[in-house]
Structures are given as structure tokens and as C-alpha cells.
Amino acid sequence: MKIRSAHTRLLVCDLEACFRFYKEMMEFPVTMADLEMGYAEFVAGDMKLALFRRQEMAEIVEANHKPAQADAQDPVVLIFTVVDLDQAYDQLRHKGVEFISAPMNNPTYELKIAYLRDPDGTLIGLFQAMT
């Protein structure tokens, strides 16, 4: 199997809030936005990040009889590598973003990391290489 391209699609409950978060807080360039149709795309580094309404995807794959959410551990985490984690942390906090953890060193993986969530609860990790 040959893959030409790939991207991450988040299935979200609150499309509008998540769209504003990735556009305004994370400052990802918007490549496509049709919120009325329930879809948006961003550029995040060398990745395409798309948002799609969770309920609509459930209907497409005939899973709409299942609960939309369950109280469980995180099933996914988006990882974004940044050049300067302290600067990114300060910039996002200034915009009102609440972090789960302040920047901390992880010498095992030679990373500096911080975690936050988008409005839909998706876990996001910001990583900076320590070398």
C-alpha cells in the first residue's frame, strides 16, 4: 500500500469552539472552513489537522447508537513540537489557555513538555527538544 498523504481528523462535539481555539489560540493557518457543513482544516507544522462533527461521523459509520462520550482515560494526544516551549506557554496563557502542566523537563526522552486541552477535551502536548 502506498500512502500519498495523511492527516489527523479530530471528531469534535463543539466544532465552533474547537475551530476558534485552533485558529485564535494555537494560531494555526486555516486552509478550509465550512462550519455550516461541519468541517475545517488547518496547517499544523507539516501536518494537516482537520475538525469534523463527531455526531456526523457516527452517522456515516453507523455508530450513532453508541454513546458520544464516556468517562475514560484519554484515547489520543496531539503532539506539537515547538522551538521555544516557554515562549509558547507564556503566549497561550496570556490568551487564557489553561494548562494541565507547566513546562517540565523529561530527561529520559531529552524533552521539555507541557500539556493542555482544547475546548472539546482533546489532550495536547507541546514538546521542545532539550538538545
mmCIF file with all atom_site columns, all heavy atoms in Angstrom, residues 100-114:
data_model
loop_
_atom_site.group_PDB
_atom_site.id
_atom_site.type_symbol
_atom_site.label_atom_id
_atom_site.label_alt_id
_atom_site.label_comp_id
_atom_site.label_asym_id
_atom_site.label_entity_id
_atom_site.label_seq_id
_atom_site.pdbx_PDB_ins_code
_atom_site.Cartn_x
_atom_site.Cartn_y
_atom_site.Cartn_z
_atom_site.occupancy
_atom_site.B_iso_or_equiv
_atom_site.pdbx_formal_charge
_atom_site.auth_seq_id
_atom_site.auth_comp_id
_atom_site.auth_asym_id
_atom_site.auth_atom_id
_atom_site.pdbx_PDB_model_num
ATOM 1   N N   . ILE A 1 100 ? -2.615 21.877 31.826 1.00 0.00 ? 100 ILE A N   1
ATOM 2   C CA  . ILE A 1 100 ? -2.669 20.784 32.796 1.00 0.00 ? 100 ILE A CA  1
ATOM 3   C C   . ILE A 1 100 ? -1.357 20.742 33.561 1.00 0.00 ? 100 ILE A C   1
ATOM 4   O O   . ILE A 1 100 ? -1.325 20.451 34.746 1.00 0.00 ? 100 ILE A O   1
ATOM 5   C CB  . ILE A 1 100 ? -2.911 19.442 32.074 1.00 0.00 ? 100 ILE A CB  1
ATOM 6   C CG1 . ILE A 1 100 ? -4.266 19.450 31.393 1.00 0.00 ? 100 ILE A CG1 1
ATOM 7   C CG2 . ILE A 1 100 ? -2.799 18.268 33.040 1.00 0.00 ? 100 ILE A CG2 1
ATOM 8   C CD1 . ILE A 1 100 ? -4.457 18.304 30.421 1.00 0.00 ? 100 ILE A CD1 1
ATOM 9   N N   . SER A 1 101 ? -0.267 21.030 32.846 1.00 0.00 ? 101 SER A N   1
ATOM 10  C CA  . SER A 1 101 ? 1.050  21.039 33.482 1.00 0.00 ? 101 SER A CA  1
ATOM 11  C C   . SER A 1 101 ? 1.883  22.172 32.912 1.00 0.00 ? 101 SER A C   1
ATOM 12  O O   . SER A 1 101 ? 1.804  22.466 31.725 1.00 0.00 ? 101 SER A O   1
ATOM 13  C CB  . SER A 1 101 ? 1.773  19.703 33.268 1.00 0.00 ? 101 SER A CB  1
ATOM 14  O OG  . SER A 1 101 ? 2.117  19.548 31.902 1.00 0.00 ? 101 SER A OG  1
ATOM 15  N N   . ALA A 1 102 ? 2.661  22.794 33.764 1.00 0.00 ? 102 ALA A N   1
ATOM 16  C CA  . ALA A 1 102 ? 3.613  23.808 33.335 1.00 0.00 ? 102 ALA A CA  1
ATOM 17  C C   . ALA A 1 102 ? 4.759  23.096 32.617 1.00 0.00 ? 102 ALA A C   1
ATOM 18  O O   . ALA A 1 102 ? 4.927  21.882 32.754 1.00 0.00 ? 102 ALA A O   1
ATOM 19  C CB  . ALA A 1 102 ? 4.127  24.570 34.553 1.00 0.00 ? 102 ALA A CB  1
ATOM 20  N N   . PRO A 1 103 ? 5.566  23.837 31.844 1.00 0.00 ? 103 PRO A N   1
ATOM 21  C CA  . PRO A 1 103 ? 6.714  23.197 31.195 1.00 0.00 ? 103 PRO A CA  1
ATOM 22  C C   . PRO A 1 103 ? 7.594  22.475 32.214 1.00 0.00 ? 103 PRO A C   1
ATOM 23  O O   . PRO A 1 103 ? 7.893  23.008 33.285 1.00 0.00 ? 103 PRO A O   1
ATOM 24  C CB  . PRO A 1 103 ? 7.455  24.376 30.568 1.00 0.00 ? 103 PRO A CB  1
ATOM 25  C CG  . PRO A 1 103 ? 6.381  25.386 30.301 1.00 0.00 ? 103 PRO A CG  1
ATOM 26  C CD  . PRO A 1 103 ? 5.440  25.236 31.474 1.00 0.00 ? 103 PRO A CD  1
ATOM 27  N N   . MET A 1 104 ? 7.949  21.244 31.872 1.00 0.00 ? 104 MET A N   1
ATOM 28  C CA  . MET A 1 104 ? 8.813  20.442 32.742 1.00 0.00 ? 104 MET A CA  1
ATOM 29  C C   . MET A 1 104 ? 9.777  19.644 31.889 1.00 0.00 ? 104 MET A C   1
ATOM 30  O O   . MET A 1 104 ? 9.475  19.302 30.743 1.00 0.00 ? 104 MET A O   1
ATOM 31  C CB  . MET A 1 104 ? 7.979  19.517 33.620 1.00 0.00 ? 104 MET A CB  1
ATOM 32  C CG  . MET A 1 104 ? 7.128  18.534 32.867 1.00 0.00 ? 104 MET A CG  1
ATOM 33  S SD  . MET A 1 104 ? 6.059  17.610 33.981 1.00 0.00 ? 104 MET A SD  1
ATOM 34  C CE  . MET A 1 104 ? 4.673  17.292 32.906 1.00 0.00 ? 104 MET A CE  1
ATOM 35  N N   . ASN A 1 105 ? 10.920 19.361 32.452 1.00 0.00 ? 105 ASN A N   1
ATOM 36  C CA  . ASN A 1 105 ? 11.930 18.581 31.749 1.00 0.00 ? 105 ASN A CA  1
ATOM 37  C C   . ASN A 1 105 ? 11.661 17.093 31.898 1.00 0.00 ? 105 ASN A C   1
ATOM 38  O O   . ASN A 1 105 ? 11.296 16.628 32.974 1.00 0.00 ? 105 ASN A O   1
ATOM 39  C CB  . ASN A 1 105 ? 13.331 18.898 32.284 1.00 0.00 ? 105 ASN A CB  1
ATOM 40  C CG  . ASN A 1 105 ? 13.773 20.296 31.927 1.00 0.00 ? 105 ASN A CG  1
ATOM 41  O OD1 . ASN A 1 105 ? 13.309 20.883 30.955 1.00 0.00 ? 105 ASN A OD1 1
ATOM 42  N ND2 . ASN A 1 105 ? 14.674 20.848 32.716 1.00 0.00 ? 105 ASN A ND2 1
ATOM 43  N N   . ASN A 1 106 ? 11.863 16.363 30.810 1.00 0.00 ? 106 ASN A N   1
ATOM 44  C CA  . ASN A 1 106 ? 11.797 14.917 30.818 1.00 0.00 ? 106 ASN A CA  1
ATOM 45  C C   . ASN A 1 106 ? 13.132 14.417 30.283 1.00 0.00 ? 106 ASN A C   1
ATOM 46  O O   . ASN A 1 106 ? 13.287 14.190 29.073 1.00 0.00 ? 106 ASN A O   1
ATOM 47  C CB  . ASN A 1 106 ? 10.636 14.413 29.946 1.00 0.00 ? 106 ASN A CB  1
ATOM 48  C CG  . ASN A 1 106 ? 10.485 12.913 30.010 1.00 0.00 ? 106 ASN A CG  1
ATOM 49  O OD1 . ASN A 1 106 ? 11.451 12.191 30.213 1.00 0.00 ? 106 ASN A OD1 1
ATOM 50  N ND2 . ASN A 1 106 ? 9.278  12.441 29.811 1.00 0.00 ? 106 ASN A ND2 1
ATOM 51  N N   . PRO A 1 107 ? 14.127 14.270 31.187 1.00 0.00 ? 107 PRO A N   1
ATOM 52  C CA  . PRO A 1 107 ? 15.466 13.902 30.737 1.00 0.00 ? 107 PRO A CA  1
ATOM 53  C C   . PRO A 1 107 ? 15.540 12.523 30.089 1.00 0.00 ? 107 PRO A C   1
ATOM 54  O O   . PRO A 1 107 ? 16.422 12.271 29.264 1.00 0.00 ? 107 PRO A O   1
ATOM 55  C CB  . PRO A 1 107 ? 16.315 13.958 32.007 1.00 0.00 ? 107 PRO A CB  1
ATOM 56  C CG  . PRO A 1 107 ? 15.363 14.031 33.140 1.00 0.00 ? 107 PRO A CG  1
ATOM 57  C CD  . PRO A 1 107 ? 14.045 14.486 32.610 1.00 0.00 ? 107 PRO A CD  1
ATOM 58  N N   . THR A 1 108 ? 14.614 11.636 30.400 1.00 0.00 ? 108 THR A N   1
ATOM 59  C CA  . THR A 1 108 ? 14.616 10.303 29.794 1.00 0.00 ? 108 THR A CA  1
ATOM 60  C C   . THR A 1 108 ? 14.503 10.404 28.283 1.00 0.00 ? 108 THR A C   1
ATOM 61  O O   . THR A 1 108 ? 15.171 9.676  27.547 1.00 0.00 ? 108 THR A O   1
ATOM 62  C CB  . THR A 1 108 ? 13.448 9.457  30.351 1.00 0.00 ? 108 THR A CB  1
ATOM 63  O OG1 . THR A 1 108 ? 13.576 9.394  31.766 1.00 0.00 ? 108 THR A OG1 1
ATOM 64  C CG2 . THR A 1 108 ? 13.448 8.062  29.759 1.00 0.00 ? 108 THR A CG2 1
ATOM 65  N N   . TYR A 1 109 ? 13.648 11.305 27.809 1.00 0.00 ? 109 TYR A N   1
ATOM 66  C CA  . TYR A 1 109 ? 13.441 11.468 26.367 1.00 0.00 ? 109 TYR A CA  1
ATOM 67  C C   . TYR A 1 109 ? 14.086 12.736 25.822 1.00 0.00 ? 109 TYR A C   1
ATOM 68  O O   . TYR A 1 109 ? 13.866 13.088 24.667 1.00 0.00 ? 109 TYR A O   1
ATOM 69  C CB  . TYR A 1 109 ? 11.944 11.462 26.056 1.00 0.00 ? 109 TYR A CB  1
ATOM 70  C CG  . TYR A 1 109 ? 11.298 10.149 26.405 1.00 0.00 ? 109 TYR A CG  1
ATOM 71  C CD1 . TYR A 1 109 ? 10.521 10.020 27.543 1.00 0.00 ? 109 TYR A CD1 1
ATOM 72  C CD2 . TYR A 1 109 ? 11.502 9.020  25.622 1.00 0.00 ? 109 TYR A CD2 1
ATOM 73  C CE1 . TYR A 1 109 ? 9.931  8.807  27.876 1.00 0.00 ? 109 TYR A CE1 1
ATOM 74  C CE2 . TYR A 1 109 ? 10.924 7.807  25.949 1.00 0.00 ? 109 TYR A CE2 1
ATOM 75  C CZ  . TYR A 1 109 ? 10.142 7.712  27.081 1.00 0.00 ? 109 TYR A CZ  1
ATOM 76  O OH  . TYR A 1 109 ? 9.568  6.508  27.405 1.00 0.00 ? 109 TYR A OH  1
ATOM 77  N N   . GLU A 1 110 ? 14.842 13.445 26.664 1.00 0.00 ? 110 GLU A N   1
ATOM 78  C CA  . GLU A 1 110 ? 15.515 14.686 26.299 1.00 0.00 ? 110 GLU A CA  1
ATOM 79  C C   . GLU A 1 110 ? 14.521 15.703 25.727 1.00 0.00 ? 110 GLU A C   1
ATOM 80  O O   . GLU A 1 110 ? 14.728 16.315 24.691 1.00 0.00 ? 110 GLU A O   1
ATOM 81  C CB  . GLU A 1 110 ? 16.655 14.427 25.324 1.00 0.00 ? 110 GLU A CB  1
ATOM 82  C CG  . GLU A 1 110 ? 17.747 13.546 25.929 1.00 0.00 ? 110 GLU A CG  1
ATOM 83  C CD  . GLU A 1 110 ? 18.905 13.294 24.989 1.00 0.00 ? 110 GLU A CD  1
ATOM 84  O OE1 . GLU A 1 110 ? 18.796 13.574 23.785 1.00 0.00 ? 110 GLU A OE1 1
ATOM 85  O OE2 . GLU A 1 110 ? 19.934 12.804 25.480 1.00 0.00 ? 110 GLU A OE2 1
ATOM 86  N N   . LEU A 1 111 ? 13.396 15.857 26.444 1.00 0.00 ? 111 LEU A N   1
ATOM 87  C CA  . LEU A 1 111 ? 12.339 16.773 26.037 1.00 0.00 ? 111 LEU A CA  1
ATOM 88  C C   . LEU A 1 111 ? 11.947 17.692 27.179 1.00 0.00 ? 111 LEU A C   1
ATOM 89  O O   . LEU A 1 111 ? 12.064 17.339 28.340 1.00 0.00 ? 111 LEU A O   1
ATOM 90  C CB  . LEU A 1 111 ? 11.076 15.999 25.634 1.00 0.00 ? 111 LEU A CB  1
ATOM 91  C CG  . LEU A 1 111 ? 11.112 15.156 24.386 1.00 0.00 ? 111 LEU A CG  1
ATOM 92  C CD1 . LEU A 1 111 ? 9.848  14.316 24.289 1.00 0.00 ? 111 LEU A CD1 1
ATOM 93  C CD2 . LEU A 1 111 ? 11.274 16.018 23.151 1.00 0.00 ? 111 LEU A CD2 1
ATOM 94  N N   . LYS A 1 112 ? 11.459 18.835 26.814 1.00 0.00 ? 112 LYS A N   1
ATOM 95  C CA  . LYS A 1 112 ? 10.759 19.727 27.728 1.00 0.00 ? 112 LYS A CA  1
ATOM 96  C C   . LYS A 1 112 ? 9.311  19.681 27.261 1.00 0.00 ? 112 LYS A C   1
ATOM 97  O O   . LYS A 1 112 ? 9.038  19.817 26.055 1.00 0.00 ? 112 LYS A O   1
ATOM 98  C CB  . LYS A 1 112 ? 11.336 21.133 27.624 1.00 0.00 ? 112 LYS A CB  1
ATOM 99  C CG  . LYS A 1 112 ? 10.864 22.079 28.677 1.00 0.00 ? 112 LYS A CG  1
ATOM 100 C CD  . LYS A 1 112 ? 11.653 23.392 28.557 1.00 0.00 ? 112 LYS A CD  1
ATOM 101 C CE  . LYS A 1 112 ? 11.328 24.304 29.698 1.00 0.00 ? 112 LYS A CE  1
ATOM 102 N NZ  . LYS A 1 112 ? 12.119 25.549 29.618 1.00 0.00 ? 112 LYS A NZ  1
ATOM 103 N N   . ILE A 1 113 ? 8.349  19.466 28.172 1.00 0.00 ? 113 ILE A N   1
ATOM 104 C CA  . ILE A 1 113 ? 6.969  19.231 27.772 1.00 0.00 ? 113 ILE A CA  1
ATOM 105 C C   . ILE A 1 113 ? 5.977  20.022 28.614 1.00 0.00 ? 113 ILE A C   1
ATOM 106 O O   . ILE A 1 113 ? 6.272  20.374 29.757 1.00 0.00 ? 113 ILE A O   1
ATOM 107 C CB  . ILE A 1 113 ? 6.602  17.725 27.846 1.00 0.00 ? 113 ILE A CB  1
ATOM 108 C CG1 . ILE A 1 113 ? 6.772  17.203 29.272 1.00 0.00 ? 113 ILE A CG1 1
ATOM 109 C CG2 . ILE A 1 113 ? 7.419  16.917 26.874 1.00 0.00 ? 113 ILE A CG2 1
ATOM 110 C CD1 . ILE A 1 113 ? 6.342  15.765 29.474 1.00 0.00 ? 113 ILE A CD1 1
ATOM 111 N N   . ALA A 1 114 ? 4.819  20.296 28.039 1.00 0.00 ? 114 ALA A N   1
ATOM 112 C CA  . ALA A 1 114 ? 3.685  20.888 28.752 1.00 0.00 ? 114 ALA A CA  1
ATOM 113 C C   . ALA A 1 114 ? 2.414  20.343 28.096 1.00 0.00 ? 114 ALA A C   1
ATOM 114 O O   . ALA A 1 114 ? 2.413  20.030 26.899 1.00 0.00 ? 114 ALA A O   1
ATOM 115 C CB  . ALA A 1 114 ? 3.715  22.408 28.667 1.00 0.00 ? 114 ALA A CB  1
#
